[in-house]
Amino acid sequence: MSPAISDHTEIADDHGVDVRSGCLDRAMSYLTGGPVPHFPRDRALAHRLQAATPWLVTSLEINRAFLHRTAQDFAGQLGIGQFITLGARAELPWPGQPEDVQPACSAVPKASFTHLDILPPTAVTRQAPGCHHARRVMRLGDMLTVLRSLHAVDRTRPVAVLVDNAGAWTGSDADLKFALDQLRAWLPPGSALCMTHATTELAPAAEQQAALLRRNGSTAPFSPRSREAIAGLLEPWALSEPGLVPTSTFYPGHRHVQLPARYSGAYAAITLRTEATRQPEVARRP
């Protein structure tokens, strides 16, 4: 555990987050029992987040359980053996918790995974143990260039993409939509994509307060979106049943399905790539 820090001490981590106001990554590591040292201000931020949204840790469980189950289904039901994850930063192991809330790549150990992160690593993600799969940091504007450079991905076979709340850390709707359009056009027929995206709609007052705390604890924007906005990001693909829904309600057998929808804190959807929906690659923004 790190020593206490005076309120008047100017200390910032290696990405400019002033630990006096609390670092979101360290706060979340504290909440999930992670191995990374945390400062008193990080724990205070964690407690403020929990006070705003008492179901915060359950929301994390719901999101992870959805991604874990979906990865298994993409592999087992669709026969897909190569995966790309698109997230904010590395999804870290969750000590002492069930298998279905561990990183999604652990759900399909025989599959190949490439992890794409849209935010640079912090001291938290560098210190914590990670998986052995390839990982790289990218800008959303470089989506097509990055995809074309993934030589380990065989585009003669379907690819599964797990978009893990990456959109919530992107402030520009236009940039996010353009990147997802590039991704969609690049995927070969038979591919599948799932997306989770944070929202404040399911508990507006509480989640708006929590969103502000997240912004203050990070150098990146945090932008929850409405169901309508998230659906627009996924157009023109048709969504698999049950469509775009609170994450805990997507799978009828989900162990959190009976909880109030606000516990999800996010919407989730799955869409499949068929030959008819394939479009030409978009090389640059019009």
Side-chain angles (χ1 to χ4, degrees):
M1 180 178 299
S2 301
I5 299 174
S6 165
D7 287 346
H8 304 288
T9 303
E10 296 291 340
I11 299 181
D13 74 3
D14 53 358
H15 283 281
V17 176
D18 187 346
V19 298
R20 294 177 306 160
S21 60
C23 168
L24 181 61
D25 285 326
R26 293 191 184 104
M28 299 310 292
S29 179
Y30 165 68
L31 285 175
T32 57
V36 178
H38 34 74
F39 298 100
R41 292 287 178 170
D42 305 320
R43 297 191 289 277
L45 173 58
H47 296 153
R48 289 195 296 272
L49 283 165
Q50 280 194 308
T53 49
W55 53 86
L56 174 60
V57 173
T58 302
S59 295
L60 297 176
E61 294 176 357
I62 290 169
N63 186 74
R64 286 197 172 201
F66 169 80
L67 294 169
H68 198 276
R69 163 71 182 274
T70 302
Q72 289 180 325
D73 285 356
F74 283 173
Q77 297 182 17
L78 302 181
I80 300 178
Q82 48 184 356
F83 287 74
I84 296 172
T85 67
L86 179 63
R89 291 193 175 103
E91 188 182 48
L92 304 177
W94 196 339
Q97 294 301 309
E99 177 62 31
D100 70 347
V101 299
Q102 302 306 324
C105 55
S106 68
V108 195
K110 294 184 179 179
S112 67
F113 273 79
T114 301
H115 300 298
L116 302 179
D117 299 335
I118 64 171
L119 299 180
T122 65
V124 173
T125 54
R126 279 200 297 268
Q127 292 178 50
C131 67
H132 65 278
H133 299 108
R135 180 177 299 279
R136 62 188 297 180
V137 177
M138 59 166 287
R139 293 175 55 255
L140 281 177
D142 297 330
M143 176 66 77
L144 189 56
T145 300
V146 170
L147 292 172
R148 287 173 170 170
S149 71
L150 299 181
H151 302 301
V153 177
D154 179 4
R155 289 188 68 219
T156 66
R157 298 186 292 119
V159 179
V161 181
L162 311 178
V163 183
D164 180 9
N165 204 31
W169 294 99
T170 306
S172 167
D173 290 0
D175 289 347
L176 179 57
K177 172 64 172 170
F178 184 71
L180 290 172
D181 284 347
Q182 288 186 315
L183 173 61
R184 179 186 303 113
W186 176 87
L187 287 172
S191 296
L193 178 145
C194 78
M195 174 189 283
T196 61
H197 195 301
T199 187
T200 61
E201 287 186 334
L202 303 176
E207 291 291 0
Q208 287 168 11
Q209 183 181 355
L212 179 60
L213 291 169
R214 284 186 173 92
R215 293 187 192 105
N216 291 340
S218 175
T219 57
F222 183 71
S223 305
R225 288 179 171 84
S226 67
R227 184 181 183 280
E228 180 181 5
I230 299 168
L233 295 172
L234 291 165
E235 292 178 350
W237 275 9
L239 302 183
S240 302
E241 291 294 333
L244 182 63
V245 296
T247 311
S248 66
T249 67
F250 192 91
Y251 292 112
H254 195 294
R255 60 189 174 92
H256 300 102
V257 72
Q258 300 300 326
L259 294 176
R262 67 178 182 273
Y263 281 39
S264 295
Y267 290 111
I270 290 176
T271 182
L272 306 180
R273 153 77 73 195
T274 64
E275 187 67 51
T277 61
R278 188 165 187 185
Q279 303 167 350
E281 287 185 353
V282 181
R284 57 180 179 173
R285 188 188 303 279

